[in-house]
Amino acid sequence: MQLYIDTANLNEIREAHDLGVLDGVTTNPSLISKEGADFHARMEEICRIVPGPVSAEVVSTDHDGMIAEADQLTAIASNIVIKLPCIPEGLKACRTLSERGVKVNMTLCFQPMQAMLVAKAGAFLVSPFIGRVDDISGDGMEIIQQIRQIYDNYGYETKILAASIRHPQHMVQAALIGADVATVPFKVIQQLMKHPLTDSGLEKFLADWNARADAQKAMA
Ligand code: G3P
């Protein structure tokens, strides 16, 4: 499964990139606003750090506005992916951009038929938001499962990007189902390599090693 980071924070992106396992980046208008940065300048900086797909989201809600924004965003770097909302105008814009060879990430996906239609429109990625469904007592993972089965039944090539990930167990479940990508906040990326038995085990190994070295010194 590919790993993207879901942030517009440069320090987080650099740190995650340094781990050597980062495949891409997703941003959205809320994440950009949180940074208080110029949108296009920030996207350019992100694309300089990460060579993989970097999603930049439009804020227009009509087809022509989306295309005009996409034209500006794709001029920033060759790895920009245009993020469009799963609304009818977004679907039309997805078709237009996909036919031009522009990669599209269809976001705010909350049910499998949205995912099927965006696949038919040529989307590169679809982003079902797991955590936001769980937040309202739904089952976000069930949506991933259903999309996986529909895509496999018909051979749709759109990649399933599990989004709105809240904790490592979301990643485990998404990987078991066969999501192609997960986009993960920095805090959760840090948790992915953590286990208390790893920490206590390492502490014990090092303590034993140092005790051995001390004993050898005493014998010398
Ligand atoms: O990639 C989508 C993601 O940013 C949404 O996450 O935590 O705002 O539900 P969240």
Side-chain angles (χ1 to χ4, degrees):
M1 182 166 60
Q2 290 202 320
L3 175 68
Y4 292 3
I5 188 168
D6 192 32
T7 185
N9 182 281
L10 294 180
N11 290 334
E12 292 182 351
I13 292 169
R14 276 193 205 99
E15 229 180 288
H17 179 64
D18 286 349
L19 293 173
V21 291
L22 190 70
D23 298 295
V25 181
T26 52
T27 64
N28 63 39
S30 304
L31 293 171
I32 295 282
S33 301
K34 198 169 125 191
E35 293 300 311
D38 174 79
F39 180 31
H40 286 201
R42 180 53 56 101
M43 295 316 302
E44 195 178 344
E45 287 171 300
I46 295 172
C47 289
R48 256 190 260 127
I49 301 168
V50 178
V54 174
S55 290
E57 188 160 343
V58 304
V59 288
S60 299
T61 53
D62 64 294
H63 170 276
D64 292 353
M66 289 177 187
I67 301 300
E69 278 190 66
D71 285 344
Q72 292 184 340
L73 289 166
T74 50
I76 292 174
S78 59
N79 53 330
I80 287 279
V81 173
I82 301 300
K83 215 171 169 190
L84 306 172
C86 278
I87 58 175
E89 290 295 295
L91 187 65
K92 288 188 231 167
C94 176
R95 164 68 72 196
T96 303
L97 292 172
S98 301
E99 281 175 356
R100 290 184 190 172
V102 173
K103 287 184 173 163
V104 175
N105 174 1
M106 291 303 288
T107 190
L108 291 167
C109 173
F110 291 95
Q111 52 107 334
M113 282 303 102
Q114 290 176 317
M116 192 177 86
L117 294 190
V118 305
K120 286 170 71 69
F124 170 61
L125 292 161
V126 64
S127 295
F129 278 26
I130 300 168
R132 291 194 193 182
V133 174
D134 289 1
D135 288 347
I136 56 163
S137 305
D139 184 353
M141 212 49 73
E142 192 186 4
I143 299 167
I144 302 274
Q145 177 88 64
Q146 291 171 337
I147 298 172
R148 179 73 282 155
Q149 187 168 340
I150 291 167
Y151 280 10
D152 290 349
N153 285 350
Y154 296 99
Y156 292 126
E157 286 176 6
T158 302
K159 291 181 194 304
I160 302 172
L161 190 164
S164 187
I165 297 264
R166 301 267 191 266
H167 47 71
Q169 271 307 311
H170 271 153
M171 287 274 295
V172 173
Q173 291 163 356
L176 288 172
I177 290 169
D180 302 287
V181 192
T183 190
V184 185
F186 183 63
K187 188 187 83 171
V188 179
I189 290 184
Q190 288 177 309
Q191 291 169 347
L192 297 177
M193 278 297 283
K194 284 297 270 186
H195 195 285
L197 291 179
T198 304
D199 295 341
S200 61
L202 180 60
E203 202 177 311
K204 174 85 169 67
F205 283 158
L206 295 180
D208 290 347
W209 186 257
N210 290 334
R212 171 184 165 279
D214 289 346
Q216 279 177 343
K217 242 187 255 161
M219 276 164 42

